[in-house]
Amino acid sequence: MASTIDGANVISNEADILLYLRRIHFREPAAPDIPAVDPEEFFKTVYRSPAACVSILQLCIPAVVRRVVMQMLYLESPLSPEDVHTTLTAQGIAEWEANHVLLLELHIVDEILWPDNIVLEETFKSGLQAALAGTCKADRVASAEPPPLEEGVLHDTSEWETMLHFIVGADVEIDRDIIRNLKLDNLMDEDASGELGINTRGFQFVLQDRRTQLWFYLIKLLESAPKYGFSAAEMLGWLFHLSQGTLGHAYPQSGFTGSQKKVLKAVATVGFVKRVKTAEGVRFYFPTILAKALVDPTVLETTQQEKGFIVIESNFRLYAYTTSELKFQLLCLFCDMVHAYVHMGFSWLHDAFFP
């Protein structure tokens, strides 16, 4: 078995939650974004969140392997590899053999008994049972009715869009914590005068799909978990807890620890949740479509960025066909915009690009 995972300096790799978890398992050396913890203790801490058990099973485990996990969930005795094979088709066996090692790498099964006996790790097993039984929903009980919130607000991604516009140089106001995170994530550079500007990684980030952007931002947020009074494992479990809420359902903040409230505020500034307060001062939060996108890739299918195209003439005149204001702003970084219409922009490439 390989001892490390390829961690190329590419945004899409760094935004992969499965890759992040596998790098923790392999204790990848010289990786500042990977917490220096015992992998077994890290995963046990994550799996104390029932929502994390469901999310990791859903996001990281292929369907055939996931089905075997569900078969083992209420068994008292372990399964042998032969037992597993008897429940699968020939194609299913091939998929199982190709992917079952993920159960070991994500500490879903007991490492000591593996591979002759396959049994679920106790913390994961208890967490998944609690999630399926609904016994982890205590935070739905509230002492007051939440104020109404229009459904369109929960599909609004304006906070996230504002951050993207700030990265490409738009004159918009954003939270100071977001600015600090953008610098720490190496998405923007500061010049001698203190002005921030987009860099190569920033370009990569802006051009990624929305879900990749979300996971990149939140995985990087895990690096600063101690600032919020959390370990990286505790924060990851809490983020999964927030994302597993039902879209349109209000959840009371009563009983939240100070650390949980700090993280809630941090993700609310980028539109991960919407926070509201009743006239009596009772606070609630609503998961938004961005939160749901972490665990359900399909929720953003109808809101994906439109596809456009660019035409460049031999005299370096450029035509961009798009309705995206963000893309127009990106073009202005290396073009002199002459006219911007509803569906098209006309510009010239900067002289600085030519010898």
Side-chain angles (χ1 to χ4, degrees):
M1 183 184 298
S3 59
T4 60
I5 298 294
D6 178 24
N9 190 28
V10 178
I11 293 291
S12 57
N13 282 350
E14 295 179 65
D16 189 331
I17 184 60
L18 174 58
L19 178 62
Y20 176 82
L21 294 173
R22 293 181 71 201
R23 290 169 71 195
I24 290 174
H25 168 74
F26 288 118
R27 305 185 193 213
E28 183 168 303
D33 57 324
I34 300 302
V37 294
D38 176 65
E40 184 177 352
E41 287 303 314
F42 178 92
F43 282 96
K44 279 187 177 181
T45 301
V46 172
Y47 293 148
R48 290 192 187 108
S49 165
C53 299
V54 174
S55 299
I56 290 176
L57 188 67
Q58 190 176 337
L59 291 171
C60 304
I61 304 301
V64 168
V65 183
R66 191 161 60 237
R67 189 162 70 242
V68 174
V69 170
M70 297 306 295
Q71 289 172 352
M72 293 189 291
L73 188 57
Y74 294 99
L75 292 180
E76 296 297 330
S77 56
L79 289 179
S80 68
E82 292 74 21
D83 293 332
V84 173
H85 286 184
T86 59
T87 66
L88 300 175
T89 64
Q91 181 180 351
I93 291 174
E95 292 182 24
W96 164 260
E97 292 298 329
N99 296 291
H100 64 62
V101 71
L102 287 173
L103 298 178
L104 188 64
E105 294 175 355
L106 300 182
H107 296 251
I108 290 174
V109 293
D110 190 309
E111 187 175 4
I112 297 176
L113 298 176
W114 180 275
D116 296 328
N117 293 287
I118 308 170
V119 61
L120 295 180
E121 193 277 328
E122 195 57 41
T123 308
F124 176 87
K125 182 178 181 179
S126 300
L128 186 57
Q129 288 176 343
L132 296 179
T135 56
C136 57
K137 304 295 185 183
D139 60 346
R140 292 195 178 196
V141 180
S143 58
E145 283 294 317
L149 198 65
E150 294 182 6
E151 184 179 352
V153 175
L154 301 177
H155 288 78
D156 177 32
T157 59
S158 58
E159 291 97 340
W160 193 264
E161 293 288 343
T162 299
M163 182 185 72
L164 296 181
H165 283 269
F166 179 83
I167 293 174
V168 301
D171 184 17
V172 293
E173 293 290 331
I174 64 172
D175 189 274
R176 286 180 297 177
D177 286 340
I178 299 178
I179 296 175
R180 185 181 64 250
N181 289 338
L182 294 176
K183 292 165 64 178
L184 290 174
D185 298 346
N186 194 25
L187 299 179
M188 302 185 77
D189 292 332
E190 192 170 1
D191 62 21
S193 64
E195 291 291 322
L196 284 174
I198 192 171
N199 58 22
T200 302
R201 281 168 60 84
F203 269 111
Q204 287 187 43
F205 178 78
V206 171
L207 295 175
Q208 293 292 335
D209 64 87
R210 184 56 45 83
R211 192 162 176 268
T212 299
Q213 292 173 352
L214 286 168
W215 267 119
F216 175 84
Y217 188 86
L218 293 179
I219 287 176
K220 292 300 180 181
L221 190 65
L222 295 177
E223 295 179 39
S224 55
K227 185 190 78 173
Y228 297 93
F230 271 131
S231 68
E234 289 169 331
M235 181 182 279
L236 182 59
W238 181 237
L239 290 173
F240 277 132
H241 175 82
L242 296 176
S243 66
Q244 282 287 354
T246 303
L247 193 67
H249 190 99
Y251 296 85
Q253 298 181 42
S254 55
F256 281 15
T257 66
S259 296
Q260 290 172 336
K261 290 178 181 177
K262 287 180 182 178
V263 174
L264 188 70
K265 177 180 180 294
V267 296
T269 58
V270 291
F272 192 75
V273 297
K274 301 289 186 184
R275 296 181 298 165
V276 296
K277 185 170 65 172
T278 66
E280 297 79 19
V282 182
R283 297 179 182 274
F284 293 83
Y285 75 91
F286 290 81
T288 69
I289 194 170
L290 295 183
K292 298 304 298 176
L294 292 179
V295 293
D296 183 3
T298 63
V299 299
L300 287 178
E301 286 180 354
T302 58
T303 59
Q304 286 296 312
Q305 296 178 350
E306 52 118 33
K307 297 184 183 297
F309 55 92
I310 291 175
V311 176
I312 303 178
E313 296 181 341
S314 58
N315 60 358
F316 305 109
R317 187 161 52 184
L318 183 147
Y319 301 92
Y321 291 85
T322 179
T323 59
S324 168
E325 184 181 345
L326 179 66
K327 290 178 180 177
F328 278 132
Q329 290 175 337
L330 275 170
L331 286 172
C332 288
L333 293 174
F334 53 89
C335 292
D336 293 317
M337 189 65 67
V338 179
H339 293 292
Y341 303 104
V342 176
H343 299 291
M344 185 193 77
F346 160 49
S347 59
W348 296 90
L349 288 172
H350 285 323
D351 293 342
F353 285 86
F354 311 112

